[in-house]
Amino acid sequence: MEALRQDDPRRFGRFTALARFDEGASAVRYVARDIASGETALITAARPRLAAVPVFSRRFQAEARTAERLAGGWVTPPLDTGDPAETPAGGAEPLWTAAGYVPALPLAEAIGIAGPLPERALRILGAGIAEILSRVHAAGSVLQGLAPGTVLLAADGPRLTAFGPLGAAASAEARPGGQLSVRLGYLTPEQIEGKEVSAASDLFVLGLLLAYAATGTTPFTEGPAEEATRRIAEDEPELDAVPEELRELIANCLAKDPDQRPTAGTVAAELALEGAAGLARGGWLPEPLAAAVADQEARVLALEVPEEASAAAEPEQGDAPAALGDARAEPGQADAAAPEDARTLGEPEGAGTAPEPEDAGPEDARPEDAPPVTASGAPTSAESPAAPEPEDARPLPAPPVGAPALRKPADAPPPSGNADPGNGDIGEDRGTTRFLNTGPRPPQNDRPTTQLALPGELTAPRAPDALPAAHPVQPAAPLALPAAPVTPQQHSHTHGGPAPYPAAALPAGPAGPGGPGQGPMVSLPLPPAPAPAPDPATSRRTLLTIAAAAVGGLIVGGGSVAALGSGDTARATDDKPAPKPRRTLPGQAPEPRWIYAHPASESSPLTTALWQDKLLVVTSESQASAVDLRTGKRLWQRADGAKGQVALAAGADLVFVASPTEFLWLSPKDGKVVHRVRYTEAFDDLPGLTVGRLAGSSGPVIWFTGSHTVTVKAPKPKKGKKKGKDKEVVEAYFFAYDIVQRKELWRTPVPAGRAPGTPAYRVVAERSADILVRQDAVSLTAAEVKKAKGKGSVRSFDQKTGKLLWTRQYGAASLEAATSGDEDGLLYAAVGQDLQAFEADTAKPLWRVEGSDGSWFGTPLIAGPLIHTTERSRLVGAVERESGRLVWRRSTEVPGTGPAPSLTLSGSEKTLIAADAIQVTAFSAADGERLWKFQDIGSADPKGETVSASYRTLAFGETVVVQRDRSFYAFPVA
């Protein structure tokens, strides 16, 4: 961090620049502050000379939108961006983005201070980056944003700050004709061979990055610089200095064959099974780095806004363009940046962006003559032009001895305002677009993101007069910034990071179109040219993704939350004061109406249920308790309800809970037991009855299974024979019980299940005359499994008498196949990887919906004319009940191979909620527009337990209650 230079911009919208944080090839980062609110931000401002190039501008904005999509967890959410609408006529577009400031050191600087990282820190670093990559790859995209200068080390974990080739570039320069030359720091074997990059390319670069963090040097650097490309493509990496426990994993990442490299999810799991956030609890940085991060934070807190900036604080964002214009290169400099015969490669046909945001525009929006972007595979060579270090680039001075204690900026509420609403066009994410165009299959990266080709002709050496002119620099007044008594050794590199390979790592001399020593060029496909600008208030998309193991989110109710959404700030509809509004982003979850934390002194919740849209009833091993749905406050707890099943409404004024030994009717006001029916009394003819899980309910009627053991005496032996032994036999029954009248309606004998004997039933459909029931495969006996021959079955029981009417199998639906039915006599079952509809009474197939390759459907949710579907591949959708026609299908963008997300509809049936072990995703039920995503990342206490429970969702009225283990959040929904 250093003082501002004379030609640095001073204003970025509502933010005032305080100091330079670091700089890269394409942008400079500043520490800035919003004078009105005291909010500190990290500004990434494009270099003015590059910002004037249209192709750079489009790419910069595309990478900024990618940052929004990845916001949360190890990616700091953006706060603001330069507004093109405020650009003066004829001025360059103000290219800058602002993200919340997090005290952190660039990886390159950290290695310079403390040397290679220890094994635990390496695991956390690698797991955190791999978690980001897994989210990118789940959408079928490639990141290409990894480099030592783009990864920051914060106190709670790593942060990624670049989201494409521009952010990770080792050098970038404008060329004649509106073209751009960008040099990448890290290359992969497939790029050297001229092949397209893929998700595996990101893993190779991750391997290079981890090897650098473990050793302080990058593999393949030993040896002649001109042979670097051969070493990358052919030689095995030198990893002797890497900790032995990590050597094999990093070597696998550096495999020459992309198919042999592990996936990002595999790397994350092998490095930190509990997640990077869990492993980082209690601190993870070596002491010198932790001290350097704390020192940086203290320095930033003590920064004071320059007097001239304070006086000019009243003008708003319109000042930013002028400030940026002050730092703009003089005319002609861009043209002088390359020799006359310098050439760039054309854009490969069909090339794609990496990763391209939803709102980048349709493929055909790019003009055919759009200029290409090129990038070499090596950092700036020794002969390449580099920005000279200005005389005033110096560390900020230390405070005088006895300086007063640091003071934080005065607290002030953030400016109110809501995210721009969507424009009604749902758009298609990459995975969904490919699905609709090519048939059902998982999202794949089917287009090259970066393509490299070695030129066959030579170019003349760069003329001395072609070097870009440096801006004249005048000494700037020093900033009064506190510093530690002993300044740690600085490890400085051009553009904020070490050269991954030697300066002439790729063929030196006249070896490529870029000039001497610049090596092969990489053709970077561009985002499509923007369509005519829509109304800014309606142009923002709502697609964002978040990390599976995130930290640094909102700190609420003792839990850290990484929440993304696009809705308006929530407003409570009860007598509880509404929360203060906060700035929201597209895809950010709305402000919770309330947050409830189940006490840590009590056992974790077992079941949760809503009672009359008034109470949230939670049962645990020790008690049942109730939470007011209006305020989120606990009203009562009752030990009698320990280990109880899901609470139900028994009429208008009682809460029904089935415990392991009795039925309970509790008062909703104070939880007192109003009625109690013990099983030994209600079913006295079935001594020792064990009541199983409730199979379903309808109004006052519940259905459940139960079993008890009877002794069957051995038959009287024949004369001269010994008497046989008595046998213990399990008898099972299916019951119907009225919880309002508190009486049994009927029971019918059913086959006993697997030991201990109670079969697990689930009602899949209720019709006027009967109910359709499935038995969970785990409760089937070995004999039943053998008899079924791999096919599941459905039983029909008479509603009034309980008589078994029929048992049928449906196509090739397996024992574990998800099944649901409707009141019209149709049954929907997962058959292989497809979803199929049948006539329930005849088993006649009606229609089929194809699923993703290698996936299968979960339990569908029926809603009016639609059936909402869910797949193990994390695709959620809707089909027409009558025809099976696909209406929409979207990905939750969650990596992993667990069960299909569970589905819940809001009270109005306008919002569909998908929940799994990683996150909750809200969709518009009508068209599948992604509304917001939410993750609860567990206790903020470093000693707190790691949360691994799946999410549960319960909906009532205009609220959905999201639960993960002990934490409950009430979000407003449509």
Side-chain angles (χ1 to χ4, degrees), residues 316-345:
E316 292 299 327
Q317 295 181 4
D319 297 341
L324 288 169
D326 294 340
R328 195 177 305 135
E330 296 179 5
Q333 279 188 323
D335 295 341
E340 292 181 1
D341 59 352
R343 291 165 294 136
T344 58
L345 298 180

Side-chain angles (χ1 to χ4, degrees), residues 16-110:
T16 299
L18 304 178
R20 275 190 169 221
F21 185 82
D22 65 3
E23 62 178 319
S26 61
V28 179
R29 289 191 290 195
Y30 301 88
V31 176
R33 184 172 297 145
D34 182 346
I35 301 177
S37 67
E39 187 175 31
T40 304
L42 189 65
I43 305 291
T44 300
R47 294 185 180 274
R49 186 178 60 189
L50 299 176
V53 181
V55 71
F56 178 95
S57 174
R58 291 196 297 271
R59 184 76 203 194
F60 184 94
Q61 293 170 339
E63 294 187 11
R65 290 191 293 268
T66 299
E68 285 192 357
R69 295 179 62 228
L70 295 175
W74 307 123
V75 177
T76 304
L79 300 175
D80 206 350
T81 59
D83 190 351
E86 299 173 356
T87 306
E93 183 176 333
L95 290 179
W96 59 270
T97 62
Y101 167 73
V102 177
L105 300 173
L107 176 60
E109 182 179 340

Side-chain angles (χ1 to χ4, degrees), residues 180-504:
L180 187 72
S181 174
V182 175
R183 296 186 172 280
L184 301 179
Y186 282 147
L187 279 183
T188 65
E190 54 267 31
Q191 286 176 300
I192 292 174
E193 294 173 4
K195 299 178 181 178
E196 66 181 58
V197 297
S198 64
S201 304
D202 280 338
L203 271 298
F204 186 93
V205 178
L206 177 60
L208 293 175
L209 195 72
L210 290 177
Y212 168 75
T215 64
T217 61
T218 303
F220 311 114
T221 57
E222 296 297 329
E226 61 271 16
E227 296 181 8
T229 52
R230 181 196 60 77
R231 292 196 298 272
I232 296 170
E234 301 175 4
D235 290 359
E236 293 301 318
E238 178 57 51
L239 301 176
D240 290 345
V242 174
E244 183 176 357
E245 294 79 3
L246 303 180
R247 198 174 299 157
E248 181 179 357
L249 178 61
I250 294 178
N252 291 339
C253 290
L254 296 176
K256 306 302 181 187
D257 184 357
D259 293 337
Q260 299 302 314
R261 298 170 198 159
T263 64
T266 299
V267 172
E270 289 193 25
L271 289 175
L273 187 60
E274 66 272 53
L279 188 57
R281 285 198 175 108
W284 71 293
L285 293 176
E287 186 174 348
L289 298 184
V293 170
D295 172 68
Q296 182 193 109
E297 181 178 19
R299 287 165 161 244
V300 170
L301 286 175
L303 284 172
E304 295 181 358
V305 178
E307 293 182 1
E308 63 271 22
S310 300
E314 292 183 1
E316 292 299 327
Q317 295 181 4
D319 297 341
L324 288 169
D326 294 340
R328 195 177 305 135
E330 296 179 5
Q333 279 188 323
D335 295 341
E340 292 181 1
D341 59 352
R343 291 165 294 136
T344 58
L345 298 180
E347 182 173 345
E349 184 178 354
T353 60
E356 182 178 339
E358 255 183 64
D359 56 349
E363 290 281 330
D364 57 4
R366 176 171 54 83
E368 294 181 358
D369 59 349
V373 177
T374 63
S376 88
T380 307
S381 67
E383 295 82 11
S384 299
E389 187 73 7
E391 295 179 359
D392 64 342
R394 59 194 181 284
L396 294 166
V401 177
L406 301 178
R407 293 184 300 174
K408 294 185 178 181
D411 294 331
S416 61
N418 301 327
D420 295 337
N423 60 6
D425 178 13
I426 66 172
E428 291 293 347
D429 59 81
R430 281 294 169 203
T432 306
T433 300
R434 273 192 287 276
F435 179 90
L436 293 176
N437 288 343
T438 64
R441 59 175 56 91
Q444 299 175 359
N445 182 32
D446 56 358
R447 303 188 305 158
T449 304
T450 304
Q451 184 168 323
L452 180 147
L454 296 177
E457 298 181 12
L458 306 179
T459 59
R462 182 184 298 273
D465 58 357
L467 297 177
H471 291 295
V473 178
Q474 301 178 8
L479 292 176
L481 182 69
V486 179
T487 303
Q489 178 185 358
Q490 299 295 319
H491 187 70
S492 60
H493 299 275
T494 303
H495 304 322
Y501 306 112

Side-chain angles (χ1 to χ4, degrees), residues 881-932:
R881 284 173 62 180
E882 183 176 352
S883 64
R885 184 184 71 86
L886 180 66
V887 178
W888 60 264
R889 186 174 291 178
R890 289 276 190 170
S891 172
T892 63
E893 295 188 318
V894 174
T897 57
S902 61
L903 301 179
T904 304
L905 270 174
S906 64
S908 66
E909 298 190 352
K910 294 180 179 180
T911 304
L912 180 68
I913 310 294
D916 57 23
I918 304 300
Q919 76 179 22
V920 175
T921 311
F923 299 88
S924 168
D927 55 22
E929 178 183 5
R930 249 181 309 262
L931 303 177
W932 49 263

Side-chain angles (χ1 to χ4, degrees), residues 752-755 775 777-790 815:
R754 186 186 299 268
Q775 182 174 351
V778 294
S779 69
L780 292 170
T781 64
E784 288 175 318
V785 172
K786 183 178 180 180
K787 181 180 179 181
K789 297 181 179 180
L815 295 168

Side-chain angles (χ1 to χ4, degrees), residues 843-878:
K844 176 184 176 181
L846 300 176
W847 49 255
R848 178 191 298 266
V849 175
E850 293 184 353
S852 306
D853 292 337
S855 183
W856 58 79
F857 281 88
T859 303
L861 180 63
I862 300 168
L866 298 179
I867 301 172
H868 293 291
T869 62
T870 174
E871 299 182 54
R872 181 174 179 264
S873 59
R874 302 305 190 268
L875 291 176
V876 176

